Amino acid sequence: AQAILAQATHLVHPRLTPTARLCRKLVAIALVCLVAAMGQSPSAQCSALPLSKLARSVPAGHRPVVVVAPGSFSPPTLLHMRIFEEARDALQRAPAFGKPCTVIGGYLSPVHLAYGKKSLAPTEHRLGMVEAAAEGSDWLTVASWEALREEGYTPTAQVMNHFAEELRSVEVAVGDAAPEAGLVRVAMICGGDVFRSFVDVKEDGERLWSDVDLEVILGENGVVVIEREATGLEDFIEAQPLLKKHRENIIIARPRVFTGISSTAVRQHLAAGESIRYLVPDAVRAYIYEHQLEKLPNWQ
């Protein structure tokens, strides 16, 4: 119920008074009852992307792009938020997808609990934390569809397909032209380790990522790879025919500042009773302590 309410009204806030929290819960219960009366599941109701932060115009000759980061966010850190800024700068610094780009928005997409990662906090709290993290941004939004799907874990290619389909109807004005739908391109943010895994082969000889999935991720959409150090990604791409085929859809972001902040490190600080200030957004820190997430057994 909390997750549905957060998606519908963006009211998740770590500093609500007890009365406000009670009112929020009552409204959430009423919303779930309304959903049930309409014969639709809560996850179906949350399938639509929130669009309020998307810019609706770009300069002449530019392609509108939305960046998406699927992830655990358990908890979201300042590095997670910084990576979005790095991705936007990289996309707008050099041509991608065949022309100059303007990033019109970004989405944090928490993974489903069925992903099975041991350190995942309960879904409602991961959604609450990312809502708190994105609250202060004028261009980042939370998408709860992946986390709330009744079907469970969703492969990355299907997640990207969902974003592309939802954004296909968004109308954007290019220069002085009238707003038009079908212009938005989606780019997934990933680390260099995930990007290199695109060509990995499992012990049984099966590809970790199928060619079909990679065609969806790289061909129909695109990726922004965060390269934390000089790891020879350009040479790696040239050596892989499928990656080379989609080179113009692969954007490499090279941050000027490197940091070791990670969700793992934050959980370790919490387990030791140490400060996490300046490791996570202040609103996330407040949310963690208000809901006593530092006591989660799988965060110890």
Side-chain angles (χ1 to χ4, degrees):
Q2 285 181 323
I4 296 170
L5 185 64
Q7 184 71 10
T9 64
H10 304 289
L11 287 178
V12 172
H13 193 288
R15 296 173 182 168
L16 292 176
T17 65
T19 300
R21 285 198 296 271
L22 176 59
C23 290
R24 187 181 68 178
K25 289 179 180 179
L26 292 174
V27 173
I29 292 170
L31 178 59
V32 172
C33 292
L34 177 61
V35 168
M38 294 171 63
Q40 291 181 288
S41 67
S43 60
Q45 286 291 307
C46 292
S47 63
L49 285 177
L51 306 175
S52 61
K53 290 186 180 181
L54 293 184
R56 298 306 177 98
S57 64
V58 298
H62 280 226
R63 181 184 297 280
V65 177
V66 167
V67 291
V68 176
S72 300
F73 302 112
S74 189
T77 70
L78 285 176
L79 181 59
H80 286 127
M81 310 310 290
R82 180 61 201 168
I83 281 174
F84 274 96
E85 302 293 332
E86 296 285 357
R88 180 168 65 169
D89 286 344
L91 277 162
Q92 297 183 162
R93 189 163 41 235
F97 309 120
K99 61 172 60 178
C101 295
T102 295
V103 175
I104 63 170
Y107 290 94
L108 296 85
S109 182
V111 72
H112 197 282
L113 197 61
Y115 180 61
K117 194 173 183 179
K118 292 182 178 179
S119 59
L120 290 180
T123 300
E124 66 270 22
H125 288 309
R126 283 185 294 118
L127 287 172
M129 286 187 289
V130 290
E131 285 282 358
E135 186 179 43
S137 172
D138 61 355
W139 70 284
L140 296 179
T141 310
V142 176
S144 65
W145 175 82
E146 184 182 358
L148 295 176
R149 287 198 77 199
E150 290 183 343
E151 295 85 348
Y153 170 70
T154 306
T156 303
Q158 291 183 32
V159 173
M160 296 299 289
N161 259 340
H162 172 75
F163 277 98
E165 290 171 4
E166 289 289 318
L167 293 166
R168 194 166 290 129
S169 61
V170 172
E171 295 185 344
V172 178
V174 179
D176 296 329
E180 184 180 346
L183 301 178
V184 178
R185 194 67 179 257
V186 180
M188 181 183 79
I189 301 174
C190 68
D193 52 345
V194 171
F195 180 71
R196 287 178 178 275
S197 76
F198 285 171
V199 299
D200 283 355
V201 178
K202 295 185 284 188
E203 292 182 358
D204 61 3
E206 183 182 353
R207 291 276 302 277
L208 184 62
W209 299 79
S210 71
D211 285 349
V212 173
D213 283 354
L214 290 180
E215 284 292 340
V216 171
I217 295 170
L218 299 174
E220 298 176 17
N221 299 287
V223 295
V224 182
V225 187
I226 308 298
E227 188 177 26
R228 296 196 179 190
E229 54 188 21
T231 55
L233 277 182
E234 293 285 2
D235 293 338
F236 177 74
I237 294 170
E238 287 296 314
Q240 305 296 330
L242 182 59
L243 302 183
K244 186 176 180 180
K245 172 185 174 183
H246 298 300
R247 181 62 186 89
E248 73 173 15
N249 298 342
I250 301 170
I251 300 89
I252 299 176
R254 296 182 173 92
R256 300 180 190 277
V257 177
F258 299 97
T259 171
I261 296 175
S262 67
S263 296
T264 299
V266 173
R267 293 193 301 270
Q268 289 172 343
H269 278 288
L270 287 169
E274 298 168 349
S275 170
I276 58 169
R277 191 185 293 270
Y278 310 125
L279 296 178
V280 300
D282 286 344
V284 173
R285 182 171 60 89
Y287 185 99
I288 288 172
Y289 289 128
E290 179 185 358
H291 296 276
Q292 299 184 342
L293 300 188
E294 73 277 8
K295 297 180 181 179
L296 286 174
N298 60 337
W299 277 20
Q300 303 308 306

